[in-house]
Amino acid sequence: MFCGDYQAQGTIFPAPNFNPIMDAQMLGGALQGFGCDKDMLISILTQRCNSQRLMITEAYQNMYGRDLIGDLKEKLSDHFKDVMVGLMYPPPSYDAHELWHAMKGVGTEENCLIDILASRTNGEIFQMREAYCLQYGSNLQEDIYSETSGHFRDTLMNLVQGSREEGYTDPAMAAQDAMVLWEACQRKTGEHKTMLQVILCNKSYQQLWLVFQEFQNISGQDIVDAINECYDGYFQELLVAIVLCVRDKPAYFAYRLHSAIHDFGFHNKTVIRILIARSEIDLMTIRKRYKERYGKSLFHDIKNFASGHYEKALLAICAGDAEDY
């Protein structure tokens, strides 16, 4: 069975009996004056799906003649602001926003590039490139090219084309590709690194599933272990991310969240980005994988490390329930 067949589930769904005008009014009230009713913001914005939030933004603009994102940025601060503002972007714009900031700050935040480009579908990549161009008047490929280097850059440049084959399998070719990967792990020349990333970036998920099985047969070794042994740095991290996403994307994000929470002392940017970006796609499935793999629930770990309205907002996106404490 191809592992990508599980039914992924998000945590945020369209709200029933949705009334954008009423929501816009409530938000306007919550954002008035010196204080700010943060509980009201959380109860509205985390309980509406993204397309509903966009309708609220429109209603807010018509009602107050102001931009809701602008008002949130002005009234809120710190990580709570990042969560609330992040929820307001359409998914391609949010990816574009994250990539832009990962490259335009001091130094490049490679892990953000890896998380996004290793996991997105062709359609998501295409929309993200368009959003990036519209929002920043800049070309995503050119920016990646200028901000990264070496085989890491080559692999990102390949992924950002969004030209992975879809649904196609060729069992005979799988054995051949597995041999190429095996050789690439043995010989490690520039040419072999290129062949390795071309296979991982362009073959369909279903085909790669077969290739990884063949690789195990040929080498007696798991492809992830082989990559970890043969390569290092961000190139190695990116290749492993691609393999993990092919095998089980929610498990990849569970691993990234656990690492962000426990290895990096709660790396806020990563936690916020994954929770928001996956909230309507597979966050419920990510929560399941997290609990299965690490024993503690994601809900429990967020409660442990975050606090205040920031914690409340993250937990609301997680849509945790009593059994998660």
Side-chain angles (χ1 to χ4, degrees):
M1 184 196 101
F2 169 55
C3 196
D5 291 340
Y6 55 79
Q7 195 52 53
Q9 199 189 3
T11 54
I12 294 180
F13 302 94
N17 310 317
F18 170 60
N19 182 337
I21 292 168
M22 196 192 289
D23 283 349
Q25 259 172 339
M26 305 283 274
L27 289 172
L31 290 165
Q32 290 312 308
F34 291 115
C36 174
D37 186 347
K38 293 175 183 169
D39 290 313
M40 176 70 76
L41 297 182
I42 293 169
S43 73
I44 294 176
L45 296 180
T46 67
Q47 303 306 308
R48 309 288 183 270
C49 69
N50 189 264
S51 58
Q52 290 177 331
R53 287 183 216 120
L54 300 181
M55 290 160 77
I56 295 170
T57 303
E58 202 177 317
Y60 189 93
Q61 178 76 47
N62 293 339
M63 200 176 287
Y64 300 105
R66 292 200 309 274
D67 173 44
L68 178 54
I69 288 188
D71 283 1
L72 290 169
K73 283 180 175 173
E74 189 185 316
K75 291 281 184 180
L76 307 177
S77 59
D78 303 326
H79 301 309
F80 181 64
K81 174 176 82 174
D82 297 337
V83 177
M84 292 293 112
V85 170
L87 286 168
M88 301 311 299
Y89 289 103
S93 302
Y94 186 58
D95 278 348
H97 170 271
E98 292 296 290
L99 291 169
W100 169 262
H101 288 282
M103 292 189 282
K104 294 300 162 187
V106 179
T108 302
E109 207 187 315
E110 287 85 358
N111 278 318
C112 173
L113 303 185
I114 292 172
D115 273 354
I116 292 177
L117 292 171
S119 65
R120 301 306 191 251
T121 63
N122 290 347
E124 287 166 342
I125 287 170
F126 180 75
Q127 289 182 305
M128 171 205 311
R129 288 203 320 245
E130 293 222 305
Y132 192 92
C133 187
L134 280 170
Q135 278 161 244
Y136 304 106
S138 195
N139 180 297
L140 179 57
Q141 288 102 309
E142 286 173 13
D143 285 354
I144 289 171
Y145 191 84
S146 68
E147 296 297 328
T148 56
S149 62
H151 289 281
F152 176 59
R153 171 168 73 189
D154 296 344
T155 312
L156 290 173
M157 292 299 286
N158 202 332
L159 289 169
V160 80
Q161 303 304 317
S163 54
R164 184 183 292 287
E165 291 168 357
E166 290 179 336
Y168 174 78
T169 56
D170 177 347
M173 193 67 201
Q176 238 175 298
D177 287 341
M179 278 306 294
V180 172
L181 292 184
W182 171 238
E183 249 185 67
C185 287
Q186 302 307 300
R187 313 247 313 259
K188 297 186 254 192
T189 66
E191 194 186 338
H192 283 93
K193 286 180 185 173
T194 301
M195 281 155 40
L196 179 64
Q197 62 97 350
V198 164
I199 291 172
L200 291 181
C201 296
N202 294 295
K203 301 287 178 173
S204 73
Y205 271 27
Q206 290 86 340
Q207 179 69 7
L208 286 173
W209 188 246
L210 296 178
V211 171
F212 300 157
Q213 286 178 307
E214 287 290 345
F215 185 93
Q216 177 88 44
N217 297 340
I218 292 165
S219 65
Q221 193 179 28
D222 185 76
I223 181 83
V224 171
D225 296 333
I227 292 169
N228 285 336
E229 268 177 34
C230 301
Y231 296 106
D232 56 18
Y234 292 119
F235 179 58
Q236 168 251 326
E237 286 183 38
L238 178 54
L239 297 180
V240 167
I242 296 168
V243 174
L244 296 178
C245 285
V246 169
R247 286 187 166 157
D248 186 336
K249 213 170 271 185
Y252 167 71
F253 284 116
Y255 151 71
R256 288 289 298 129
L257 283 167
H258 190 265
S259 158
I261 293 169
H262 293 278
D263 303 342
F264 294 95
F266 210 86
H267 192 268
N268 295 286
K269 276 186 183 173
T270 304
V271 174
I272 293 168
R273 180 177 64 247
I274 294 173
L275 293 190
I276 290 178
R278 308 311 294 183
S279 60
E280 289 182 44
I281 301 172
D282 54 6
L283 185 54
M284 188 62 83
T285 315
I286 291 167
R287 276 180 43 197
K288 279 188 194 134
R289 298 286 192 275
Y290 194 99
K291 185 83 184 269
E292 288 160 10
R293 184 157 299 191
Y294 304 110
K296 292 269 194 324
S297 72
L298 179 58
F299 203 74
H300 168 278
D301 282 353
I302 289 171
K303 263 188 104 52
N304 243 1
F305 284 92
S307 61
H309 285 96
Y310 173 47
E311 174 202 327
K312 272 189 187 172
L314 293 180
L315 295 179
I317 295 168
C318 256
D321 40 42
E323 80 231 21
D324 267 331
Y325 281 89

